[in-house]
Amino acid sequence: MGDRTVKGDPTVWTYPGQSARARLVATAARFFVRPVIGAWARAPFAPWPYSLLEFFAALLPPVGGVRRTRVDLAHCVAERTVPRTSELTGSAILYLHGGAFLVGGVKSHRRLVSRIVRTTGVPALAVAYRQLSDGAPVSTSLSDCMDGLNSLVASGIPIDRIVVVGDSAGGYLALNVALEARRSGLGMVGGIGAMSPIIDLDPASKLAGPSPDLDRDALFPPRALNAMWASIQRAEDGPDECARLREIIGLTSTELAALPPLLIQAGSDEILLPDAKALVAYSAAAGGAARLEIYPGQVHVFQAAADVVPEGKVAINRMSAHIAEVLDRSGSIAA
């Protein structure tokens, strides 16, 4: 299927159509997963078994063609994934997993990371950052992700040859790692990739739309965003820290224009889509290099279901092409 850009807006591309398998996955998510997330949202501070996702994810068969090794960071562990053949040296992907800052880790996202590594030939470092379920605030999660970036730089990889990629909460972290690296004097990463990212942690603006639109998301009921924001606020030291976590929505035109090439992918019915649309629109107005891909009817982080959903493979291939393009521009891949 060919490209379809939004008329008059070259920064937005829409995938033409939705497969039968994708519709089936969305229906299953609405009937079996959304109720569980809704139950959590009604009692977010109950002792939920958050570690079960990682436990069951470890039982999934691995994706072939890659090798994995453990890496110890200052306060957490990470996992390095490299292709078994044709490894591109001198470049890297920093992968930051999603899970609402509560669940998931390198095991739950191992197959997704492996697919990206196998497709691009670029090694990846996936960080198992501390989360709210560990008693760690989001500011600590960000610090752990920065440790991952610093470890890549310390290994001799130039920062402009590092692409930071994340999904959902990891998309938020990817954006903020890039900003923090620049503000701290470390430099600007080569590019950013974000799959179904949350950008503004405060859900007020996203929940201001018409209620029928809010119910289109097959995975998240609106109250889940409120529950997540309440959990985040509870874990931080105070309102000043919470305000800092939202600095991304107040970026100046100069800061937006200075962001490295950014690709965002999201489903058309996602409750988080307004975040992505706003960021890309503000970037375009500032002269930045942000692009948005919208996939009709896809569930949150549908790329993780690439074994079942054909659009997941398309999105992974397009994200991999974005990574290759970024690294080619920085000189790490020969033209």
Side-chain angles (χ1 to χ4, degrees):
M1 295 183 180
D3 287 6
R4 183 196 295 172
T5 57
V6 174
K7 188 175 181 180
D9 188 354
T11 66
V12 180
W13 176 87
T14 301
Y15 184 81
Q18 182 188 22
S19 68
R21 289 185 179 184
R23 286 193 291 271
L24 181 61
V25 167
T27 300
R30 180 172 293 277
F31 283 100
F32 296 106
V33 183
R34 197 176 197 259
V36 175
I37 295 175
W40 168 82
R42 286 189 288 270
F45 304 120
W48 292 86
Y50 294 112
S51 62
L52 284 181
L53 179 59
E54 278 290 87
F55 174 80
F56 286 113
L59 304 179
L60 293 173
V63 171
V66 299
R67 292 180 288 107
R68 300 185 304 273
T69 55
R70 172 180 166 134
V71 176
D72 291 314
L73 301 177
H75 302 289
C76 66
V77 299
E79 186 170 86
R80 186 170 186 264
T81 303
V82 301
R84 289 190 179 275
T85 59
S86 304
E87 177 181 342
L88 295 170
T89 59
S91 58
I93 297 165
L94 178 67
Y95 194 90
L96 308 176
H97 70 82
F101 307 104
L102 285 164
V103 299
V106 296
K107 295 174 184 175
S108 62
H109 288 68
R110 185 174 279 162
R111 290 178 62 82
L112 178 54
V113 173
S114 297
R115 286 183 184 277
I116 295 173
V117 168
R118 191 174 63 181
T119 304
T120 61
V122 180
L125 183 71
V127 180
Y129 55 86
R130 291 169 289 176
Q131 303 187 78
L132 294 171
S133 51
D134 304 317
V138 172
S139 52
T140 295
S141 302
L142 179 58
S143 176
D144 288 346
C145 295
M146 284 299 300
D147 285 344
L149 179 64
N150 281 305
S151 73
L152 290 174
V153 173
S155 72
I157 300 174
I159 192 165
D160 65 346
R161 297 184 183 179
I162 299 172
V163 182
V164 190
V165 181
D167 65 274
S168 192
Y172 166 89
L173 292 169
L175 285 159
N176 281 274
V177 161
L179 291 169
E180 179 62 24
R182 185 173 184 270
R183 290 171 176 173
S184 67
L186 188 61
M188 184 55 82
V189 299
I192 308 169
M195 294 171 273
S196 301
I198 183 168
I199 295 168
D200 186 358
L201 300 180
D202 185 342
S205 62
K206 289 184 282 294
L207 301 185
S211 57
D213 289 343
L214 298 178
D215 289 332
R216 290 173 61 189
D217 192 306
L219 208 60
F220 295 116
R223 62 175 173 267
L225 299 187
N226 286 322
M228 186 182 74
W229 179 228
S231 301
I232 291 169
Q233 291 176 297
R234 185 183 187 183
E236 294 295 337
D237 288 338
D240 290 343
E241 279 296 326
C242 291
R244 276 191 282 272
L245 293 178
R246 300 185 64 223
E247 286 179 344
I248 190 170
I249 66 169
L251 292 179
T252 66
S253 294
T254 300
E255 289 174 311
L256 282 167
L259 280 174
L262 163 65
L263 175 63
I264 299 177
Q265 297 175 333
S268 63
D269 298 337
E270 290 198 62
I271 202 170
L272 300 180
L273 182 58
D275 274 3
K277 285 183 173 179
L279 180 61
V280 171
Y282 294 147
S283 171
R291 293 179 291 130
L292 172 63
E293 294 183 354
I294 300 175
Y295 293 78
Q298 296 300 320
V299 300
H300 186 66
V301 194
F302 63 95
Q303 297 87 343
D307 287 313
V308 178
V309 178
E311 292 91 334
K313 293 181 180 178
V314 171
I316 288 174
N317 287 337
R318 291 182 67 91
M319 182 62 71
S320 297
H322 167 70
I323 293 168
E325 179 184 355
V326 165
L327 295 178
D328 181 59
R329 186 175 303 173
S330 70
S332 64
I333 299 178

